[in-house]
Amino acid sequence: MTDVQQERRPETPAEAEGTTGLFSALGKQLKLLRERKGLTQKEFGALVGYGPDAISAMERGVRVPQPDMLVKADELLEGGGLLGAAVPELKEAMKRARTRHPEWYRSYAGLEAEAVELHFYANQGVPGLLQTEDYALAVFSQRRPLLNEQTIEKRIADRLSRQQVFDKWPAPMCGFVLEEVVLDRAIGGKAVRDAQLKQLLRIGGLRNVEIQVMPTDIEEHPNMGGAFNLLTPPKNPQVAYTEIQEYPRLITDADEVRKIADRYGMIRAMALSPKESRALIDEKLGEL
């Protein structure tokens, strides 16, 4: 039995409400207008406030463009209202579209998409919300047991779709604490790591995002129990999420969540400040 057969295929927006055709068509129009204007994905992304990976995902229909971005793109690319005219249908489709994640992950993915606060501690690799497409490709390609191409492509699409949380308004407050080794580990090779470090700097520059680095040479560490996420749903108590060897656990018990939140507070206090962390990432980029 293949990996795809073993894992229940997540519903895409098309399977849920027939909306993928709209997202795909918008992506194709966006690409045609961008290329007609003579802009690369990186150049266009800089004009509308997105990285090249995000633009690539939008053009492939994997990531849904936000309505205000679509209006801005229409103006910049001289679309003559072509993109802007689709905004009402886009808003309606976004209301209907469901999460694109495996069954076991959906409860967390749904909470993450609606959270007003998100906090992550990572000790092995870059969290999915911060990954570039090439970094995600390297992660899934190296996974054991091996995944087939269809599964890898689907998982990358699912991961990139989660990054739409940065496009929300009001924007959720996001905090990330990364062990320094995460920056040094060249997943996918030096070129992929270079692009990933630049992505950290770009996302870390958002007003609602703080990225901190925990130095490797620290002599005391309040958390040796592995990576975790903390999120606060709207009008609901904070919850925690852990995943060890692909065994997920969504923690809602108030006392357990409090203990994890306490450890996270200590980690943040002991890590480099966001400004110091940016300087360290810049330094590591210079060493590549």
Side-chain angles (χ1 to χ4, degrees), residues 18-35 41 44 54-71 73-74 77 79 81-94 164:
T19 53
T20 287
L22 172 62
F23 300 151
S24 178
L26 284 174
K28 290 177 181 178
Q29 291 172 349
L30 194 62
K31 181 179 181 180
L32 286 170
L33 291 173
R34 174 183 61 77
E35 291 180 340
Q41 291 177 337
F44 175 59
I55 298 301
S56 172
M58 289 179 196
E59 292 182 347
R60 289 181 287 114
V62 171
R63 180 168 179 170
V64 184
Q66 294 298 300
D68 57 347
M69 180 272 190
L70 211 58
V71 172
D74 201 337
L77 301 178
L82 180 65
L83 298 176
V87 167
E89 287 76 12
L90 175 62
K91 288 182 177 179
E92 183 61 29
M94 290 173 69
Q164 294 180 77

Side-chain angles (χ1 to χ4, degrees), residues 95-107:
K95 291 179 184 178
R96 299 198 309 267
R98 301 176 184 175
T99 55
R100 293 166 46 91
H101 303 283
E103 192 72 43
W104 59 264
Y105 192 81
R106 287 186 183 181
S107 57

Side-chain angles (χ1 to χ4, degrees), residues 22-208:
L22 172 62
F23 300 151
S24 178
L26 284 174
K28 290 177 181 178
Q29 291 172 349
L30 194 62
K31 181 179 181 180
L32 286 170
L33 291 173
R34 174 183 61 77
E35 291 180 340
R36 189 180 69 178
K37 197 70 174 176
L39 296 172
T40 64
Q41 291 177 337
K42 182 177 181 180
E43 291 168 339
F44 175 59
L47 293 174
V48 293
Y50 289 85
D53 282 343
I55 298 301
S56 172
M58 289 179 196
E59 292 182 347
R60 289 181 287 114
V62 171
R63 180 168 179 170
V64 184
Q66 294 298 300
D68 57 347
M69 180 272 190
L70 211 58
V71 172
K72 186 174 183 180
D74 201 337
E75 180 180 348
L76 289 170
L77 301 178
E78 299 179 2
L82 180 65
L83 298 176
V87 167
E89 287 76 12
L90 175 62
K91 288 182 177 179
E92 183 61 29
M94 290 173 69
K95 291 179 184 178
R96 299 198 309 267
R98 301 176 184 175
T99 55
R100 293 166 46 91
H101 303 283
E103 192 72 43
W104 59 264
Y105 192 81
R106 287 186 183 181
S107 57
Y108 172 80
L111 289 171
E112 181 183 83
E114 298 297 327
V116 295
E117 284 190 27
L118 292 161
H119 298 286
F120 299 79
Y121 166 69
N123 61 351
Q124 292 290 337
V126 175
L129 282 183
L130 300 177
Q131 289 180 10
T132 65
E133 185 171 355
D134 286 339
Y135 189 98
L137 173 61
V139 168
F140 290 127
S141 297
Q142 295 170 13
R143 181 190 177 280
R144 295 296 186 274
L146 293 173
L147 303 174
N148 61 39
E149 295 301 319
Q150 181 183 353
T151 302
I152 291 173
E153 182 179 348
K154 176 174 67 65
R155 291 195 178 185
I156 292 173
D158 293 344
R159 180 152 294 181
L160 293 179
S161 73
R162 288 173 53 209
Q163 296 176 0
Q164 294 180 77
V165 71
F166 295 121
D167 305 334
K168 288 173 49 182
W169 189 260
M173 299 307 298
C174 302
F176 299 85
V177 179
L178 314 179
E179 290 289 339
E180 185 177 357
V181 67
V182 171
L183 308 181
D184 296 330
R185 184 170 288 128
I187 300 293
K190 291 185 177 180
V192 173
R193 179 176 67 171
D194 188 357
Q196 181 60 70
L197 293 182
K198 290 178 180 178
Q199 169 113 320
L200 295 181
L201 292 174
R202 183 183 66 81
I203 297 180
L206 299 175
R207 289 187 301 158
N208 63 313

